[in-house]
Amino acid sequence: MRPSARIPSILAGLALAVGGVALAPSAQADVKACEQYVAQHAPKATDGAAEACYEGQIGNQTSCVSSLVAVGASKDAANSACEASR
C-alpha cells in the first residue's frame, strides 16, 4: 500500500475510535444529571434516586417517576429528574 493511501486509512480509523470513546460516557452522565437534580430539588428522595434514574435512562419514564415519588419526591421534581436521565 502506498504511504499516501495509508494516511487517510489511519486517520479514518482514529476518528472512529475517538468517536466511540466520546459517545460512551454520555450514558452515565444522564444518570448523574438525574441524581443531581434529585439531590437539589428533592433531597429526601436521594436514597432511591440511582435505581429510579437508571430506569429513566433505559426509557422507562413511568417507573422512574413512580419510584422517585415513592421515596419522597414531588411529582414535578420526579418528572424533571427523569427527563434529565434521557
Side-chain angles (χ1 to χ4, degrees), residues 28-43 45-46 48-54 68 81-82 84-85:
Q28 196 64 298
D30 295 338
V31 171
K32 288 189 185 295
C34 174
E35 289 180 41
Q36 288 173 349
Y37 189 91
V38 171
Q40 291 173 354
H41 296 90
T46 56
E51 294 84 11
C53 291
Y54 174 75
L68 287 174
C82 292
S85 71

